[in-house]
Amino acid sequence: MKIGLQASAMLLPLILLGGCNASQTATSNEAVANEAGANAAAGDEARSPEGKRYLNQPLVSEIFTADPSAHVFNGKLYVYPSHDIDAGIPDDDLGNQYAMKDYRVLSMDRPGGEVTIHPVAIDVSQIPWASKQTWAPDAAYKNGTYYLYMPARDKDDVFRIGVATSKSPTGPFVAEPMPIPGAYSIDPAVFTDDDNESYMFFGGIWGGQLQRWANGSYNAQGGDTDLKQDDKPALAPKIARMSADMKTFAEKPRDVQIVDAEGKPILGGDHERRFFEAAWMFKRDGKYYFTYSTGDTHYLAYAIGDNPYGPFTYTGRIMEPVQGWTTHHSIVKFEDKWWLFYHDTQLSNKNHLRSVKMTEMTFNPDGTIVPINPFKD
């Protein structure tokens, strides 16, 4: 990923992690997060390096979290984020600095309520096929079992997607011995429709390696960014219907087509509208909203279709660029309101040390989303 704000965070002595597990000693990464939170201006007075006021404050400051996947289980909100750490790796376009190695679940009884940071749900060492970089996850529930979908590099340095199960929404989760056959790249997002059929959306270019799968099999020489074909259809995210056991695909993955108002595919050179990563699907009033990140232009965008497979017509932006390089989100309805979960670098000013936030999302009468500015001014 490209380099954004590079203000330095002080390295601090180890401190005890509050609000999570009083008997557990925090790592240096968590200490940095704690200190950053303590030093930030309080509440609405917190300002960016450019002097802008943030629209929302981080859900937690004890650890760094990103890529939030939010779900409502048993009347509570659960957030499945990445757990950012500082591994001392410089920023690069392949995202090597994002060296996450475990997952921690957040939960709250209601929006604005107290947030609980749960113990480690699963560590990369407990995923038999994985070697490193447990990136943005997702979760699902079916028939008494919770499923955690996890992208990580395998032993050959290729991103795959695996699944782990638990009887609790917060884990611990037990991983399947092998990744999901036919799943690759990053950013799994599992959507369950009204008929109880579930679908996985996945994929991400650049560090997510989707461009290396352009011909259906992995090609290590497939490039580090995209297909470099600006006048041709952009690389498409993938969709596959899940099997009844939620652990495998019931079909071969197919492209998710994003088109313009005339029905023509969004082109590779259209960086303000083409898919980069962070697929997320939700359904409202019979319409399917495919949402995603545009990556190097830093927008959260959406397209609307009539079924889970699309095609999806590009409709607009959900959120303007946040502070930091990456933007990755989820959208969930809780009771009678819709909520956008996202992240930024407010507490660290470092691209790889991010903090999850949430804000209410509203709709116009025609079903379009009212765009959100992550700053108040």
Side-chain angles (χ1 to χ4, degrees):
M1 300 302 173
K2 290 186 178 178
I3 297 173
L5 297 174
Q6 294 298 306
S8 297
M10 295 177 61
L11 295 177
L12 303 168
L14 293 177
I15 59 176
L16 293 180
L17 178 61
C20 174
N21 186 343
S23 65
Q24 182 180 4
T25 301
T27 66
S28 59
N29 299 297
E30 292 162 340
V32 172
N34 241 353
E35 184 69 9
N39 287 342
D44 291 341
E45 297 307 311
R47 292 181 179 270
S48 73
E50 293 80 20
K52 298 179 180 179
R53 291 183 300 156
Y54 300 100
L55 179 64
N56 301 103
Q57 293 300 301
L59 293 184
V60 297
S61 61
E62 294 92 337
I63 61 175
F64 289 111
T65 54
D67 313 319
S69 168
H71 293 271
V72 178
F73 295 136
N74 303 315
K76 293 179 61 175
L77 275 166
Y78 291 87
V79 184
Y80 299 82
S82 304
H83 177 198
D84 281 354
I85 61 172
D86 193 343
I89 300 171
D91 280 16
D92 63 39
D93 285 350
L94 298 182
N96 288 302
Q97 67 274 22
Y98 300 104
M100 302 84 97
K101 61 184 182 64
D102 62 24
Y103 294 109
R104 305 283 293 272
V105 183
L106 311 179
S107 68
M108 66 192 88
D109 290 332
R110 57 178 176 79
E114 181 179 357
V115 180
T116 299
I117 307 173
H118 294 274
V120 172
I122 192 170
D123 185 272
V124 68
S125 64
Q126 300 168 316
I127 306 173
W129 56 269
S131 65
K132 61 182 178 180
Q133 289 185 296
T134 48
W135 281 12
D138 193 23
Y141 172 80
K142 186 170 285 189
N143 299 328
T145 299
Y146 295 90
Y147 299 85
L148 183 67
Y149 299 95
M150 314 163 295
R153 290 183 188 263
D154 66 13
K155 310 299 184 181
D156 295 319
D157 224 26
V158 178
F159 266 110
R160 307 283 183 174
I161 297 171
V163 60
T165 57
S166 176
K167 292 301 181 181
S168 166
T170 61
F173 287 85
V174 177
E176 294 295 302
M178 298 295 291
I180 296 172
Y184 49 85
S185 191
I186 60 170
D187 293 355
V190 174
F191 165 75
T192 300
D193 208 346
D194 298 334
D195 60 2
N196 212 35
E197 291 284 359
S198 296
Y199 306 83
M200 180 184 287
F201 297 85
F202 63 95
I205 61 175
W206 290 31
Q209 301 179 342
L210 187 61
Q211 67 277 358
R212 299 183 183 181
W213 292 90
N215 295 320
S217 59
Y218 184 76
N219 174 14
Q221 308 305 313
D224 291 338
T225 55
D226 56 23
L227 297 180
K228 299 187 183 300
Q229 297 174 344
D230 287 356
D231 59 346
K232 294 183 179 180
L235 276 163
K238 306 298 180 182
I239 180 177
R241 183 168 54 86
M242 302 296 294
S243 300
D245 66 2
M246 299 292 284
K247 296 179 180 180
T248 57
F249 292 159
E251 61 186 4
K252 183 179 179 180
R254 63 181 82 175
D255 286 351
V256 176
Q257 191 175 33
I258 305 172
V259 300
D260 63 18
E262 286 75 43
K264 298 178 180 178
I266 299 296
L267 300 181
D270 189 350
H271 287 210
E272 292 196 356
R273 297 192 296 175
R274 63 91 169 88
F275 172 83
F276 188 99
E277 62 186 1
W280 183 267
M281 169 70 71
F282 70 92
K283 187 178 183 180
R284 180 180 182 271
D285 293 342
K287 295 294 185 180
Y288 296 81
Y289 290 69
F290 180 77
T291 70
Y292 59 98
S293 168
T294 63
D296 55 345
T297 48
H298 318 294
Y299 298 116
L300 290 180
Y302 70 106
I304 298 177
D306 294 323
N307 66 81
Y309 293 106
F312 297 94
T313 302
Y314 177 88
T315 307
R317 297 174 186 167
I318 302 168
M319 178 174 268
E320 295 297 300
V322 299
Q323 178 180 303
W325 202 94
T326 66
T327 186
H328 191 127
H329 68 298
S330 61
I331 296 166
V332 66
K333 187 177 184 182
F334 185 85
E335 296 180 348
D336 61 344
K337 293 183 178 180
W338 289 88
W339 298 90
L340 171 70
F341 289 76
Y342 65 103
H343 66 236
D344 68 12
T345 61
Q346 176 181 339
L347 296 186
S348 71
N349 286 335
K350 288 179 176 288
N351 286 325
H352 62 287
L353 297 176
R354 298 158 292 181
S355 298
V356 166
K357 297 182 172 185
M358 65 181 291
T359 194
E360 186 178 352
M361 192 179 78
T362 58
F363 296 82
N364 295 307
D366 63 357
T368 57
I369 297 171
V370 177
I372 298 169
N373 186 332
F375 301 100
K376 290 184 176 182
D377 47 24

